[in-house]
């Protein structure tokens, strides 16, 4: 067996807010908590609360089907992500305030990873072994009055495997450190609920992979700790293997649908549509090794070293770091998808709408309003680059199903400094930005006046440069002065791009083909693909689930495709 390097020195927490979109509305209107609630984007249910799920609703249903199944469902529109983004940031800042060093990584709107190793080691080290029942967790090393009392003989929440036994009286053991961490997790979850009104599900382990997976065991509003031993010995089996073995491989973070299908085909030896295999099936398959995984999964376009990477994942080994939180985003991105967008005037109109939202987001995310010397606010950072991305819809094939593409084409240019003018109205700025920058970029991407049809538009600002300030990651420069001489300043930032060529999108002189990235702040959930069966726009992360939905409803009448 290939050597595995497991690092069990870290203590990682995972938080997943329950039914986040629905919860945002429930916090605003508490009366909705007892009603079946569904959040609508486009014409599908993107999420629903647990009362709605109890009545038969689920994600990715068409709105018309949801109303038929549950006539009294309360449907709220969720296409404007502003309130979700604001709630997510409020929760993030609250959680980060508890963690020493700010080691909190944001994943989308509703998930956080916390590296609390330093806090746990300190608090495990000051435990009074003679009276563990009356222990005290120190949230501030320098102020002993800041913290909470807890019972260090019992885990808070659930464990895997389930246990009622008291923890070992050894403060340095992994089990004791995980126990202390379970109480910190419980404290943070309690603060989230009582201070802001959200419930969250949590997982506690030694890596992001295991913490995320074990947190799914008791949902909603629960938490689970994965107990040691994590490594198999002559006398003990590994709890990591016991936990992972029954997981279907597609449920494991890091194993996407393509990788899962390749593994299934190799393990089962035939087309595996509809069949499932578990982590145990793959790991214990005859001759399984990193080299065999490399042969199965490698090839053009695959990640370098994918065999060893998958080998580690199948054994629950994950050394990825929890990234320290940023005070400013690396980019700000606004996008929307469309059933049909094929005229210049409609494109211009939509670009103004997107640009208006973009400028509003730039002011919200990058203006520091706490500086009393600057009544209008002080810029924490200036983005240097403006980017426009589109996703052309492929022509319909000869069959009955609509063809689609998940690829985007993009073009970048220097961001005009006038968008930082706080004296000018946002609507006027948006019109000017489209007229002078965004629409000219669009015409270079799509020089033909007709004959194209777009399913998505995205406008973004990137390449942030932080201004001088108190942030430890700031560059120390007053970038405001850099915008006084636009022609001089921007000449080094100019992005030299070739004219677009559509004869072969892979040629060097073609526009950049890129996918939406997510650094934890760029949280717009893209509607990236039209379902080839029913034509519904589906978020990129939900494609597989939507296909399964169609598979479960093959016997039902066909869904009418949207124009």
């Amino acid at each position: 067996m290939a050597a595995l390097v497991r690092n069990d020195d870290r203590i990682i927490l995972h938080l997943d807010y329950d039914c986040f979109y629905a919860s945002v509305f429930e916090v605003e209107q508490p009366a909705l908590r007892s009603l079946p609630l569904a959040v609508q984007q486009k014409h599908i249910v993107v999420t629903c609360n647990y009362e709605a799920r109890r009545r038969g609703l689920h994600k990715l249903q068409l709105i018309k089907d949801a109303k038929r199944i549950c006539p009294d469902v309360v449907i709220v529109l969720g296409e404007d992500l502003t309130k979700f983004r604001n709630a997510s940031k409020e929760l993030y800042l609250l959680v980060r305030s508890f963690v020493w060093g700010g080691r909190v990584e944001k994943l989308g709107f509703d998930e956080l990873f916390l590296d609390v190793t330093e806090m746990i080691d300190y608090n495990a080290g000051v435990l009074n072994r003679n009276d563990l029942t009356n222990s005290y967790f120190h949230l501030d090393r320098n102020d002993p009055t800041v913290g909470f009392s807890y019972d260090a003989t019992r885990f808070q929440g659930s464990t895997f495997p389930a246990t009622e036994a008291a923890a070992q009286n050894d403060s340095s053991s992994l089990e004791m450190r995980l126990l202390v961490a379970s109480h910190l997790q419980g404290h943070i979850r309690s603060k989230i609920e009582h201070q802001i009104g959200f419930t969250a599900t949590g997982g506690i382990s030694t890596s992001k992979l295991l913490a995320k997976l074990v947190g799914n065991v008791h949902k909603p509003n629960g938490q689970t700790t994965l107990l040691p031993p994590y490594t198999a010995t002559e006398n003990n089996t590994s709890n990591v293997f016991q936990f992972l073995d029954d997981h279907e491989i597609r449920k494991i973070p890091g194993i996407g649908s393509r990788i899962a299908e390749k593994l299934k085909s190799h393990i089962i030896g035939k087309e595996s549509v509809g069949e499932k295999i578990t982590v145990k099936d793959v790991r214990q398959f005859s001759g399984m090794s990193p080299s065999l995984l490399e042969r199965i999964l490698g090839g053009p376009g695959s990640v370098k070293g994918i065999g060893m990477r998958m080998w580690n994942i199948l054994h629950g080994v994950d050394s990825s770091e929890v990234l320290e939180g940023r005070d400013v985003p690396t980019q700000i991105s606004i996008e929307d998808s469309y059933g049909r967008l094929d005229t210049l005037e409609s494109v211009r109109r939509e670009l103004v709408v997107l640009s208006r939202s973009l400028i509003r987001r730039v002011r919200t995310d990058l203006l520091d309003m706490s500086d009393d010397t600057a009544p209008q606010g002080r810029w924490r950072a200036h983005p240097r680059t403006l980017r426009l991305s589109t996703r052309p819809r492929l022509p319909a094939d000869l069959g009955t199903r609509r063809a689609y593409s998940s690829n985007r084409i993009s073009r970048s240019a220097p961001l005009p400094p006038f968008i930082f003018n706080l004296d000018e109205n946002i609507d006027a700025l948006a019109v000017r930005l489209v007229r002078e920058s965004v629409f000219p970029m669009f015409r270079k991407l799509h020089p033909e006046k007709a004959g194209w049809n777009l399913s998505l538009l995205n406008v973004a600002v990137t390449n942030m440069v932080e201004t001088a300030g108190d942030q430890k990651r700031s560059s120390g420069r007053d970038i405001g002065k850099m915008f006084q001489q636009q022609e001089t300043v921007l000449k080094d930032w100019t992005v030299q791009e070739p004219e677009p060529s559509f004869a072969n999108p892979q040629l060097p002189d073609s526009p950049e083909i890129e996918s939406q990235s997510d650094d934890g702040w760029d949280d717009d959930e893209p509607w990236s693909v039209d379902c080839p069966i029913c034509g519904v726009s589906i978020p990129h992360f939900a494609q597989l689930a939507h296909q399964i939905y169609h598979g479960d409803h093959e016997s039902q009448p066909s869904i009418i495709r949207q124009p």
Side-chain angles (χ1 to χ4, degrees), residues 42 86 234 290 414 481 532:
K42 303 301 182 182
N86 292 342
E234 292 183 2
K481 297 178 181 178

Side-chain angles (χ1 to χ4, degrees), residues 508-558:
D509 62 346
S510 67
E512 177 186 5
I513 302 294
E514 70 174 22
S515 298
Q516 179 77 2
S517 63
D518 184 0
D519 60 13
W521 285 84
D522 181 24
D523 297 317
D524 290 354
E525 299 193 4
W527 293 84
S528 57
V529 173
D530 291 343
C531 174
I533 298 176
C534 66
V536 173
S537 296
I538 301 298
H540 71 93
F541 61 83
Q543 297 169 38
L544 180 61
H546 192 69
Q547 293 171 15
I548 295 173
Y549 171 76
H550 280 300
D552 291 341
H553 295 78
E554 288 179 350
S555 60
Q556 297 184 6
S558 299

Side-chain angles (χ1 to χ4, degrees), residues 257-269:
S257 57
R258 293 183 180 179
I259 291 177
E261 286 304 317
K262 288 183 178 180
L263 292 174
K264 288 180 183 179
S265 296
H266 185 84
I267 300 299
I268 299 176

Side-chain angles (χ1 to χ4, degrees), residues 331-335 358 361 387 458-460 516 522 524:
Q331 69 173 9
I332 298 173
S333 171
I334 300 292
E335 70 179 36
L358 179 69
R361 279 272 314 274
R387 186 187 68 215
N458 176 290
V459 181
Q516 179 77 2
D522 181 24
D524 290 354

Side-chain angles (χ1 to χ4, degrees), residues 348-365:
R348 191 192 309 271
R349 183 170 56 251
E350 294 302 323
L351 288 176
V352 170
V353 172
L354 296 177
S355 297
R356 185 185 303 123
S357 296
L358 179 69
I359 296 171
R360 189 178 295 113
R361 279 272 314 274
V362 166
R363 291 187 177 184
T364 299
D365 290 350

Side-chain angles (χ1 to χ4, degrees), residues 8 130 189 283 374 393 407 410 423 428 528 539:
D8 293 335
N130 297 320
R189 290 177 52 243
R283 195 180 67 246
R393 180 175 281 109
N407 288 335
S410 299
D423 294 324
S528 57

Side-chain angles (χ1 to χ4, degrees), residues 79-90:
E79 292 189 12
D80 182 357
L81 302 181
T82 302
K83 62 176 59 184
F84 307 129
R85 183 179 300 109
N86 292 342
S88 179
K89 289 182 180 178
E90 182 182 7

Side-chain angles (χ1 to χ4, degrees), residues 303-314:
V303 177
K304 183 178 180 180
I306 190 171
M308 193 65 210
R309 178 184 174 187
M310 286 299 109
W311 181 258
N312 284 333
I313 289 177
L314 293 169

